[in-house]
Each structure stands twice: as C-alpha cells, then as structure tokens.
Amino acid sequence: MTSESATNATAPIVQQDLFLGIDVGGTSVKLGLVDASGTVHAKNALATPSLGTPERVFAAAIGFADSELSSGSCKKANLAGIGLAVPGVLDAQEAVLREVVNLPGWQGKRLQEILSEVRDLPNAVVNDANSAAYAEHALRSLGNKSLALVTLGTGIGSGLVINGSPYGGDHGCAGELGHIAIRFGSNAVRCTCGKRGHLEAYAGSKGVVRQLHSLAETANNSDLRAALSTGDVTPRDIASRAQDNCDLCITVINQTAEYLGQAIGQMAQVIDPAVVLLGGAMTFGGKQSKVGQRFLETVHSTIVDTTLEQVGNNLKVEFASLGNDAGVIGAAMVAQQVIAS
Ligand SMILES: [Zn+2]
C-alpha cells in the first residue's frame, strides 16, 4: 500500500494488491475494489434478481473487477483475493448459508467452492453484519480490540468483531441482538420469531410505532392518532416530530433508547468490547441532529447504569461511519486478513 493510494482514490494504481468485495443483498449486489487500507478504488452495484444464482453473481463480479483492472481506474493493479458478504445464517466453517430470505438458489450452496471455480484466488465468506463491523473496526485501527455494530431498523442485529476477527458463532447466530429478552412472562410482547419479550418486538421499527400508537391512545392525542391511523408513520417521521417538540415522540424515542441500552448492556457485559456502534435506518437523525444525539446519549447512559463500571464507563458508544460501503469494504478486508494469516 502506498500513501498516495490511501489518500487519492481516483489516481491510477500501479502494481498494487486490491481485493474484490462482493456484498450480496436481496435487491442489489454491491461490488468494490478495495486496497489494504480500506480505500475503495472502484465500485458498482447490480440488481440481484436479474443475476440470480451465486454462479452468475460471482461471474458478474469478476467481470467488473477484470474490466477495472484492464482498462479502468485500477489499471495494472493486482487482484489478490475475493471477499463475499452474505445475509442470513451463515455456517462459516462450511461457507454455506443455512437460512436466508430473498435469495432463492443460495441456501445450501458451497459458496467458497463456487467462488474458486469462477476465479482461482484466495477467498473468504462472511456474514454481512460482521463484514460491516469489520470495516468499521479497521477504520478505527482497533487492532486486537473488540467492536459491535448494532443495526437498527425493522429488525435489530449486530455484527461482531472479537479480538480483531469477525465472529459469527458456531451456528451463525452470534450477535442476533434483536432476540435478546428484555421482558419476561406471558404479558411480554411476542417477537417475529415467535418467542416473547425480545428486543426487536419493542425497539424494532414496528415496535416503536406500536408504542407511539399506545401512548397516543392513552394521551388521547388526536393529531398523532390521525397520523398513525394512515399506517405510514415511520421512525423518521417520529424523529422529525420530536425535533418539533412532540412530547410523545420524544418519550417513545427515549423508551426505545432505554430498551436498546438494556440489551446492549447485556451484550457488553458478556463481550466487554471497546466500541459499540449504532447504524442502520433507524438512528432518529443520527449525529447530525439533536434528537439523534440525545438518543445515543440515552442508549449510552442506560448501558452505564446496567453494567459494571469497568464495562460501561470504558465503552465508547458512537454512530457508525461507513454507511452503504461498509459491507463491500469489510468483505474485501476479510479476504485480505485470510491471505495475511
Ligand atoms: Zn425474537
């Protein structure tokens, strides 16, 4: 790696190792040629449904890399490895997806073998949440430290990097934060997984809207009840109303932050990571807004209130930085890590 390449993404690259990152989602496949420092030198996105099977997706991805390396912005660079990030429950030992939605034809396939058949290069397969977490970890130069990236939206998940390496667990389910129980007993709200009291039922986007609904009914707030009756109120709308001083919206965001803080606190008490990041679609405005900053502060203070001092007080809680490119960067860097080890 040269310092010019790390700071100037548009400069032509000469004889540098690049890694192809492939981040597969249900609607699009994101591709990137990434150097050892995590700088993206070329990227593209393709529609997943039109590509279909892993064989076709990988062939298209290699086609993109070859084109960039032969005549595009990465001319003369060397393709050193391929990293693949996939959603769902990944058996990391076998590189096989055991459970996945929206990717027909992917479950049960030996992904590493198919990648090798398409191009015989070192490769690695990683869960997409862990891939994004690994990219954020590399960005912060955390070395052998641990990090959790919590993604907030309809579902709540987390990517884990433990001691400097992505960690998926023995059954591909490590970091499934949405299914940590925060309430117990027969009155606890039922989760999408069928069990009761899970975080996702309270702090996933549907749970947040349901709680606002319940508060608006109790307070007999006709304005909010009318808005909620349309069924289109989103956490983004709730953040915007909170910005305009809607008390009930502020309350529901606070409550959500407390639920999250309780669950993240449990995870932090077990893993004792250096950093926890909040990302995904439901950050209530993120660090750019006062509402988002208060949300983050309440998550953090709840973690501090519910964990040992050494855990909560030493833990950094921040918003994620990399957004949409995180999966591609992380996949490429995991491939690099495999080659280096
Ligand atoms: Zn659940």
Side-chain angles (χ1 to χ4, degrees):
M1 178 195 70
T2 62
S3 58
E4 299 102 275
S5 65
T7 54
N8 186 349
T10 57
I13 300 166
V14 179
Q15 294 186 334
Q16 183 185 20
D17 278 351
L18 292 180
F19 304 86
L20 172 61
I22 309 173
D23 181 13
V24 180
T27 55
S28 73
V29 180
K30 300 188 188 81
L31 305 170
L33 285 169
V34 181
D35 69 23
S37 74
T39 300
V40 180
H41 291 272
K43 61 180 178 177
N44 199 4
L46 309 166
T48 313
S50 65
L51 293 167
T53 61
E55 289 83 352
R56 291 179 63 182
V57 167
F58 300 159
I62 287 291
F64 154 79
D66 286 345
S67 159
E68 293 294 332
L69 294 165
S70 64
S71 58
S73 58
C74 303
K75 201 170 176 184
K76 295 188 180 172
N78 171 51
L79 185 61
I82 304 170
L84 172 69
V86 285
V89 177
L90 176 71
D91 176 341
Q93 299 296 322
E94 305 288 332
V96 168
L97 275 171
R98 300 294 180 201
E99 249 183 80
V100 66
V101 290
N102 299 329
L103 282 179
W106 285 67
Q107 194 164 314
K109 293 265 183 85
R110 294 194 168 274
L111 299 172
Q112 222 162 353
E113 285 179 21
I114 300 170
L115 266 175
S116 295
E117 281 163 19
V118 173
R119 182 60 52 88
D120 189 16
L121 279 175
N123 65 47
V125 183
V126 63
N127 167 270
D128 56 2
N130 287 337
S131 172
Y134 192 63
E136 298 278 0
H137 183 277
L139 178 76
R140 288 164 177 75
S141 303
L142 287 173
N144 287 330
K145 291 184 176 172
S146 301
L147 170 147
L149 167 61
V150 178
T151 47
L152 308 171
T154 310
I156 297 175
S158 63
L160 300 177
V161 180
I162 310 275
N163 285 346
S165 294
Y167 181 74
D170 287 335
H171 312 97
C173 291
E176 286 283 5
L177 193 73
H179 305 286
I180 276 186
I182 57 163
R183 294 292 179 270
F184 299 88
S186 56
N187 289 332
V189 177
R190 198 180 286 281
C191 179
T192 49
C193 72
K195 305 287 170 70
R196 287 187 185 276
H198 288 180
L199 175 69
E200 196 163 294
Y202 293 85
S205 60
K206 285 183 183 159
V208 173
V209 173
R210 194 192 59 247
Q211 283 182 69
L212 182 61
H213 204 280
S214 154
L215 286 175
E217 290 290 327
T218 307
N220 202 16
N221 181 316
S222 54
D223 171 40
L224 264 181
R225 287 169 68 196
L228 286 160
S229 69
T230 65
D232 320 318
V233 172
T234 64
R236 202 175 292 260
D237 301 323
I238 297 173
S240 159
R241 284 171 179 265
Q243 195 86 38
D244 294 336
N245 296 317
C246 165
D247 286 344
L248 296 184
C249 293
I250 293 169
T251 301
V252 94
I253 291 172
N254 249 330
Q255 247 174 33
T256 304
E258 286 173 10
Y259 291 140
L260 283 165
Q262 289 166 7
I264 294 171
Q266 293 181 40
M267 177 174 68
Q269 189 60 57
V270 174
I271 296 170
D272 190 12
V275 180
V276 168
L277 301 175
L278 303 184
M282 197 186 74
T283 53
F284 300 107
K287 71 174 172 189
Q288 311 304 333
S289 85
K290 285 213 163 63
V291 172
Q293 289 162 18
R294 269 203 305 270
F295 168 67
L296 184 82
E297 283 162 18
T298 306
V299 171
H300 196 176
S301 63
T302 307
I303 296 169
V304 169
D305 289 347
T306 55
T307 56
L308 289 177
E309 273 186 27
Q310 285 299 324
V311 174
N313 290 355
N314 290 322
L315 180 64
K316 277 191 181 167
V317 180
E318 300 169 358
F319 286 114
S321 317
L322 287 170
N324 276 341
D325 286 341
V328 161
I329 296 171
M333 297 196 86
V334 171
Q336 186 214 349
Q337 188 202 35
V338 166
I339 294 164
S341 61

